[in-house]
Amino acid sequence: MNLSTLILTALAVGMMFGTILNTTFPLAIEPLDRYLLAPIGAGFLRIIQFVVVPLIFSSLILGVNKIQGTGQVGRYVLKLMTCYVVTSTISLCIGMTVAIFLQPGAGMTGLEMPVATSTVSAPDSIEWLVNLIPINPLGALSDGNLLQIIFSAALFGAGIQLAQSDAKPFIELMESIYIISEKVLSVILYVAPVGVFALISSTIATQGLGLVVRLSWYVVGLWLSTVIMILFYVVVLILLKAEPAKFFSSLKPSFFLGFGTASSNAVLPMVLQNMQEGYGLRSEIASFALPLGTALKRDGATILQGFNAIFIAQIYHIPLTPSLLFTIGLSSFLVSFSTPGVPGSALITMTTVLSAAGLPLEGIAIVAGIDRLTDGFKTVLNVVGNSSNAILLSRWEPAPPVITKELVVAPVRESGY
């Protein structure tokens, strides 16, 4: 049985086990979750994150080294950011449009609505930009801050370009770290089904499926928005003649792992592996675009921010004026680029959107319980979006022609005989 099948089976069994615990053995949930399921799930996430930093840093260094010149690096970043802005805008419009037409928050019954009283101030965007620059590259690596790691790798890559042959020992070190990290990842993936089982069964056992029923239109709306955005990427792949069937088949293990862990950061090493070995994406594109996209590009978070803000406005009967919609859209777009790739992070950054739009923060409490059960779908969309944007860059930046040396045959001298 291959890894994809094992993870999918673990997901299905975990859902059933969690449901049985929640409905039949409620007294067993607390001890089982505290002493078995939660520790196993948390340990699995930590061991995957253990390999993320060395793999991503070495991958970025090697990717930048394969790109000829700092000017080409800047061109890659500019083209990727253009793709990110366009596709993130589309995902935001899809999420807000579905929320407006489906109206999941209108006429909700059976839920206790918190009284809207508190607000928070939005974080300073200038401070956020300054904090992208690490004081110490080793500190960025130890903290696992992907944006700071990318910044550090870009500077090291520029230094390598200038140092040329003097940097060869460092490049060989990065190649060794990358190969070792890949081998470590292959070992870790053997326990992936166990980790996925523990994570999903813990979530369903503690939160139950009853909340899904009460917030059914909310779940349907998020699911519908996610499917529409994935279909958009399918159309893009078809137009690019990028073999959508091969694309989705290659990423199957990443989809299942992403759904189970609900963490874009945790699934990144497998996405890198699937896109290079399974799909055949050029290594200099994959090793540069995929880590950058994991740090910045999150269609799932973009959809969630706009959808949730409108959902909360509907719950509290706040009119959706053009100015309110514009504020929700702009703040959701900006916040999506700073959402960490860990479970539940979109709810944390959502306070910025609600504060900017003047919406009650208490609305977060309504969706907090259901968020973990929908986080997996958003992570799958993040994988699709990040990988599709990497393919867009590969088509925008075609591979340089391979220069082959012609075989020159020396003329045969005639003998004097």
Side-chain angles (χ1 to χ4, degrees), residues 35-45 194-195 198-199:
Y35 296 108
L36 185 65
L37 298 177
I40 291 176
F44 174 64
L45 287 178
V194 178
L199 286 167

Short mmCIF file of all heavy atoms in Angstrom, two decimals, residues 35-45 194-195 198-199:
data_model
loop_
_atom_site.label_atom_id
_atom_site.label_comp_id
_atom_site.label_asym_id
_atom_site.label_seq_id
_atom_site.Cartn_x
_atom_site.Cartn_y
_atom_site.Cartn_z
N TYR A 35 -3.66 12.25 27.02
CA TYR A 35 -2.49 11.40 27.22
C TYR A 35 -2.07 10.61 25.98
O TYR A 35 -0.99 10.00 25.98
CB TYR A 35 -2.76 10.41 28.37
CG TYR A 35 -2.97 11.10 29.70
CD1 TYR A 35 -4.22 11.16 30.28
CD2 TYR A 35 -1.89 11.71 30.36
CE1 TYR A 35 -4.42 11.80 31.50
CE2 TYR A 35 -2.08 12.35 31.58
CZ TYR A 35 -3.34 12.39 32.14
OH TYR A 35 -3.53 13.03 33.34
N LEU A 36 -2.89 10.60 24.93
CA LEU A 36 -2.55 9.79 23.76
C LEU A 36 -2.66 10.57 22.46
O LEU A 36 -1.65 10.83 21.79
CB LEU A 36 -3.45 8.54 23.71
CG LEU A 36 -3.13 7.54 22.60
CD1 LEU A 36 -1.74 6.93 22.83
CD2 LEU A 36 -4.19 6.45 22.54
N LEU A 37 -3.89 10.98 22.09
CA LEU A 37 -4.10 11.56 20.76
C LEU A 37 -3.39 12.90 20.59
O LEU A 37 -2.65 13.10 19.61
CB LEU A 37 -5.61 11.73 20.51
CG LEU A 37 -6.43 10.43 20.50
CD1 LEU A 37 -7.90 10.74 20.30
CD2 LEU A 37 -5.92 9.48 19.42
N ALA A 38 -3.62 13.84 21.52
CA ALA A 38 -3.02 15.17 21.39
C ALA A 38 -1.49 15.12 21.42
O ALA A 38 -0.83 15.77 20.60
CB ALA A 38 -3.55 16.09 22.48
N PRO A 39 -0.86 14.35 22.34
CA PRO A 39 0.61 14.28 22.31
C PRO A 39 1.17 13.69 21.01
O PRO A 39 2.18 14.17 20.49
CB PRO A 39 0.95 13.40 23.51
CG PRO A 39 -0.22 13.51 24.42
CD PRO A 39 -1.41 13.66 23.52
N ILE A 40 0.51 12.64 20.50
CA ILE A 40 0.99 12.03 19.25
C ILE A 40 0.86 13.03 18.10
O ILE A 40 1.79 13.19 17.29
CB ILE A 40 0.20 10.74 18.95
CG1 ILE A 40 0.56 9.65 19.96
CG2 ILE A 40 0.51 10.26 17.53
CD1 ILE A 40 -0.24 8.37 19.79
N GLY A 41 -0.29 13.69 18.01
CA GLY A 41 -0.49 14.68 16.94
C GLY A 41 0.50 15.83 17.03
O GLY A 41 1.10 16.24 16.02
N ALA A 42 0.68 16.37 18.24
CA ALA A 42 1.62 17.48 18.42
C ALA A 42 3.05 17.04 18.12
O ALA A 42 3.83 17.77 17.51
CB ALA A 42 1.52 18.02 19.84
N GLY A 43 3.39 15.83 18.54
CA GLY A 43 4.74 15.31 18.28
C GLY A 43 5.00 15.13 16.80
O GLY A 43 6.10 15.41 16.31
N PHE A 44 3.98 14.67 16.08
CA PHE A 44 4.13 14.49 14.63
C PHE A 44 4.35 15.83 13.93
O PHE A 44 5.22 15.95 13.05
CB PHE A 44 2.88 13.80 14.07
CG PHE A 44 2.87 13.70 12.57
CD1 PHE A 44 3.83 12.95 11.90
CD2 PHE A 44 1.91 14.37 11.83
CE1 PHE A 44 3.83 12.86 10.52
CE2 PHE A 44 1.91 14.30 10.44
CZ PHE A 44 2.86 13.52 9.79
N LEU A 45 3.58 16.86 14.30
CA LEU A 45 3.77 18.18 13.72
C LEU A 45 5.16 18.72 14.03
O LEU A 45 5.82 19.33 13.16
CB LEU A 45 2.71 19.15 14.25
CG LEU A 45 1.29 18.97 13.71
CD1 LEU A 45 0.35 19.97 14.36
CD2 LEU A 45 1.25 19.13 12.19
N VAL A 194 0.07 7.54 11.29
CA VAL A 194 -0.22 7.56 12.73
C VAL A 194 -0.49 8.99 13.20
O VAL A 194 -1.43 9.25 13.95
CB VAL A 194 0.95 6.94 13.52
CG1 VAL A 194 0.66 7.01 15.03
CG2 VAL A 194 1.20 5.50 13.09
N GLY A 195 0.36 9.93 12.75
CA GLY A 195 0.18 11.32 13.13
C GLY A 195 -1.13 11.90 12.62
O GLY A 195 -1.83 12.61 13.34
N ALA A 198 -4.07 10.56 14.65
CA ALA A 198 -4.18 11.20 15.96
C ALA A 198 -4.74 12.61 15.85
O ALA A 198 -5.60 13.01 16.64
CB ALA A 198 -2.81 11.23 16.64
N LEU A 199 -4.30 13.37 14.86
CA LEU A 199 -4.74 14.76 14.71
C LEU A 199 -6.23 14.85 14.39
O LEU A 199 -6.97 15.62 15.00
CB LEU A 199 -3.93 15.45 13.61
CG LEU A 199 -2.48 15.81 13.97
CD1 LEU A 199 -1.71 16.19 12.71
CD2 LEU A 199 -2.45 16.97 14.96
#
